[in-house]
Amino acid sequence: MKISFDSQLKQYRAMINEYLESVEFDSDDNIVARAMAYSIASGGKRIRPTIAIACADALDGDREMALAFGCAVEMIHTSTLIHDDLPCMDNDDLRRGKPSCHKKFGEAYAVLAGDALLIAAYDIIAKVEDEKKAMEFVKVLSEASGVRGVGGGQGYDIAAETTSADYDMLMKIHSGKTAALILAAARGGAIAGGERPDFFKEYALSLGLAFQIRDDILDFEGNEEKLGKRTGVDVANNKATFVTVLGMQSAKAALERETDRALESIQKLGDKGEFLRSLALHLRTRDN
C-alpha cells in the first residue's frame, strides 16, 4: 500500500527523534550535558536528517547509515542555533517556542553546549560500521561546518550588517549558513545509497535557498505562535535577507524559482523521487 507524504514524514521524524533521544551526552549533574539535551530535544522540523534518509531511500540505500549521518547533521545544526541565539549574534530569547539555550542555562553554558554538540556529531559518525563511508562523510560534514560552510556564511552575515548587501552577498551568506548543512545531509544520503556524494547537489542547494527565502518571508508575514520565535528580528538586527534586499514580490518569485529547480533536478529519479518532490512543495508553503 502506498504511503502518503504526511505519513512518511511522520515516520521519518519518529525515527529521528527516537535516535536522538537514545544519545547520552553525560550524567544529569553535568550542566553542559543538560543544555545539550535540552537543545536537541526542543523539537524542530528535523528537515536535515529527513533529507538524508529520503535521499538514501530514493536510492534503495542503507537507511540506518543515513539516519546516523542525518542526526550528526542535526546536532551541528542545533549547535549553530545555540550560538546564533547568543547576545553577540542575533540575541534571541526564544527558540521553537521555548527559552533559548543561553536564557535557560546562561551564556557560558550555551557556548559550551554548542561546542560540545559540534563534537558529538562526529562521535555518531565514528560508530558507523562502514569505516570508508564514515570517513567520506566526515570530510563532507567538516566542509559544511567550517569556513566554507556554516562558519563562513555566518561571518558574511555579520559583515552584511554594516554594509550594503546585494544578491551576490545573499548567496554567499545563505549558501553557507543554510544550504551547506542541507547539502551535507543530502550527500550523506547519497553516500548511504552507494552513489557519489554530489548526486543530489542541485536538489539540495536549491532546496536550501528556497528554505531560507521562505524563512525570510515568514519573518515578515509569519505568525509568532506558529513560528515559536519573534518575527521582525532580522529587520531589527539590520540583517541582509531576501526580502530586505530583493523586496517581497521578488523574494516570492525567487522562492518559486528555486523550488522549480529542485523539482527539475530529481526528475531522473522517477517514482523513487516522489517524497523528495513532495518535500520541496511542502517547504515552499510551510508556516513555521
Side-chain angles (χ1 to χ4, degrees):
M1 182 178 176
K2 186 177 179 181
I3 187 170
S4 69
F5 169 75
D6 288 341
S7 295
Q8 184 67 73
L9 185 60
K10 287 179 181 178
Q11 184 184 104
Y12 283 149
R13 284 178 178 167
M15 290 171 54
I16 293 159
N17 286 329
E18 182 179 2
Y19 186 101
L20 290 171
E21 287 167 8
S22 72
V23 178
E24 294 183 3
F25 299 117
D26 202 352
S27 58
D28 289 341
D29 65 348
N30 188 322
I31 299 177
V32 176
R34 293 213 312 269
M36 294 165 71
Y38 171 83
S39 298
I40 203 72
S42 64
K45 293 172 282 296
R46 307 301 195 202
I47 293 301
R48 290 150 192 84
T50 293
I51 289 170
I53 304 168
C55 287
D57 280 354
L59 299 171
D60 296 320
D62 187 332
R63 181 182 275 194
E64 292 301 314
M65 183 185 296
L67 175 62
F69 289 165
C71 286
V73 176
E74 187 72 3
M75 283 195 178
I76 289 183
H77 171 59
T78 303
S79 166
T80 68
L81 297 182
I82 293 172
H83 289 167
D84 206 37
D85 288 338
L86 289 168
C88 63
M89 295 284 193
D90 289 352
N91 195 23
D92 269 334
D93 293 347
L94 285 177
R95 172 64 63 179
R96 296 164 178 165
K98 299 178 182 179
S100 301
C101 187
H102 72 276
K103 296 302 290 185
K104 177 80 173 178
F105 297 95
E107 290 181 37
Y109 285 118
V111 171
L112 292 172
D115 291 346
L117 276 172
L118 183 68
I119 302 304
Y122 291 93
D123 185 53
I124 287 178
I125 302 170
K127 292 183 171 74
V128 172
E129 290 185 4
D130 189 322
E131 293 183 5
K132 183 177 180 180
K133 289 186 176 180
M135 284 304 300
E136 190 172 12
F137 190 63
V138 163
K139 294 177 183 177
V140 164
L141 199 53
S142 297
E143 179 178 335
S145 307
V147 71
R148 288 181 288 179
V150 178
Q154 185 67 47
Y156 285 125
D157 189 38
I158 294 169
E161 294 176 17
T162 55
T163 59
S164 180
D166 55 14
Y167 184 75
D168 288 341
M169 177 59 81
L170 280 178
M171 295 301 288
K172 284 183 177 181
I173 293 169
H174 296 302
S175 293
K177 189 176 177 182
T178 305
L181 287 182
I182 288 177
L183 176 57
R187 282 173 165 162
I191 292 169
E195 267 289 352
R196 56 186 175 80
D198 281 342
F199 186 82
F200 295 102
K201 182 177 181 179
E202 292 82 4
Y203 174 81
L205 287 177
S206 287
L207 194 72
L209 290 173
F211 188 92
Q212 183 60 53
I213 296 167
R214 184 61 182 163
D215 251 11
D216 291 351
I217 291 170
L218 288 172
D219 190 57
F220 278 79
E221 298 183 347
N223 179 287
E224 289 190 357
E225 187 174 346
K226 288 183 178 180
L227 289 171
K229 61 181 180 179
R230 292 177 298 150
T231 56
V233 172
D234 291 336
V235 173
N237 290 336
N238 199 34
K239 292 288 186 181
T241 76
F242 283 93
V243 175
T244 59
V245 173
L246 302 180
M248 183 62 77
Q249 185 175 351
S250 293
K252 289 182 175 180
L255 172 60
E256 296 295 325
R257 185 169 60 251
E258 293 300 338
T259 301
D260 287 344
R261 286 175 178 169
L263 295 173
E264 184 179 354
S265 72
I266 53 172
Q267 287 182 354
K268 58 190 176 185
L269 294 172
D271 291 343
K272 292 284 188 181
E274 183 173 348
F275 179 86
L276 293 173
R277 281 191 290 274
S278 296
L279 181 63
L281 295 173
H282 169 75
L283 294 178
R284 182 182 66 183
T285 58
R286 65 189 174 88
D287 58 9
N288 62 26

